[in-house]
Amino acid sequence: MKHSIIVKIIGKMLIKTFGLILFFSSSQSESLFRPNLPLGEYRLVIDKVYPCETTKNHPIQGNWYLSKKTSSITELKGNTTFSIPFDDTITLNYNLASWGSTGGWVPNSYILNTKKACSTVKYLGGTAWFNFMEGFNMSTDKCPIPVGTYITSGIDMKKLEDMNFPKTYFYGKYKTVCRLKNLKNEAVGCVVVEFSLIRPWETPI
């Protein structure tokens, strides 16, 4: 009788031991597939969105801001005003700055100068473009975007993460300044977006 009890106790101990071994093995193997590399596939987290200081009288204005709806949902709110059509006569200047290792923004991490701003933004925006158009109740999701003021009650920022940018890049904190110019090379709009590229399994700070 005592012998059978001892056998059962040993059996339970072995089961628990093997269970712990399997748990730690799986945890270790999982960490092996999560290396702390400087670049790779990322998750886009938009931290701030705001107009450039010089855009007060520009004919294209994005008066946007982020609002925390819940602990896990952040929304883009505000209005987009086009006093001129947003079309392909406009030029797009995109300057990406990275956050330096000792602090401060380091400009020109990536530069894009291109004509056909509307078509370019639509292509780069990907799925986010259509979610943006829908969220702001715009009359069309095609170029050109007609004159008007478009207002959103709130767009979940997760709907704006899926864009046609490179799927792998250096992890870190970034700021992009997007300037729009007309055929006379005059500024017609400007917006700043600060964002972070984090590893897919990481959570925003």
Side-chain angles (χ1 to χ4, degrees):
M1 185 70 178
K2 290 184 179 180
H3 177 73
S4 61
I5 293 173
I6 293 172
V7 169
K8 287 181 180 180
I9 293 173
I10 293 174
K12 288 180 180 181
M13 292 176 64
L14 287 173
I15 291 171
K16 289 181 179 180
T17 302
F18 282 121
L20 288 171
I21 291 171
L22 288 172
F23 172 77
F24 287 115
S25 296
S26 62
S27 299
Q28 187 175 5
S29 63
E30 186 178 2
S31 65
L32 291 175
F33 291 99
R34 295 185 174 184
N36 193 28
L37 296 175
L39 77 162
E41 293 185 5
Y42 59 81
R43 179 184 167 199
L44 169 67
V45 179
I46 299 175
D47 303 312
K48 296 180 182 178
V49 181
Y50 51 93
C52 303
E53 294 179 358
T54 58
T55 59
K56 185 175 180 180
N57 299 314
H58 284 178
I60 296 179
Q61 295 190 23
N63 300 305
W64 308 326
Y65 64 95
L66 301 184
S67 176
K68 201 80 171 175
K69 184 176 181 179
T70 69
S71 59
S72 60
I73 298 176
T74 300
E75 291 183 328
L76 177 69
K77 292 190 173 184
N79 66 77
T80 304
T81 299
F82 297 110
S83 298
I84 59 173
F86 181 46
D87 58 26
D88 282 346
T89 66
I90 296 172
T91 299
L92 170 67
N93 173 263
Y94 178 95
N95 192 305
L96 182 67
S98 58
W99 186 255
S101 57
T102 57
W105 293 110
V106 181
N108 305 324
S109 174
Y110 180 82
I111 298 174
L112 173 66
N113 286 296
T114 181
K115 298 179 179 179
K116 298 184 176 181
C118 187
S119 294
T120 300
V121 172
K122 179 181 178 181
Y123 170 74
L124 292 176
T127 301
W129 163 275
F130 296 101
N131 290 334
F132 184 91
M133 296 295 113
E134 181 181 3
F136 273 91
N137 302 299
M138 296 201 179
S139 55
T140 179
D141 58 19
K142 298 178 175 61
C143 294
I145 305 299
V147 170
T149 296
Y150 305 93
I151 302 171
T152 180
S153 59
I155 307 173
D156 188 341
M157 290 302 295
K158 291 179 181 177
K159 292 184 177 181
L160 303 179
E161 293 180 2
D162 187 9
M163 302 181 187
N164 287 331
F165 282 91
K167 300 304 181 184
T168 60
Y169 204 73
F170 292 95
Y171 300 117
K173 183 178 178 181
Y174 295 92
K175 177 176 74 172
T176 180
V177 179
C178 300
R179 292 185 175 87
L180 302 174
K181 295 185 177 181
N182 60 18
L183 293 173
K184 297 179 181 179
N185 202 36
E186 299 169 334
V188 295
C190 186
V191 65
V192 181
V193 182
E194 295 183 21
F195 61 94
S196 299
L197 300 182
I198 64 176
R199 295 169 182 83
W201 55 86
E202 292 180 328
T203 54
I205 299 174

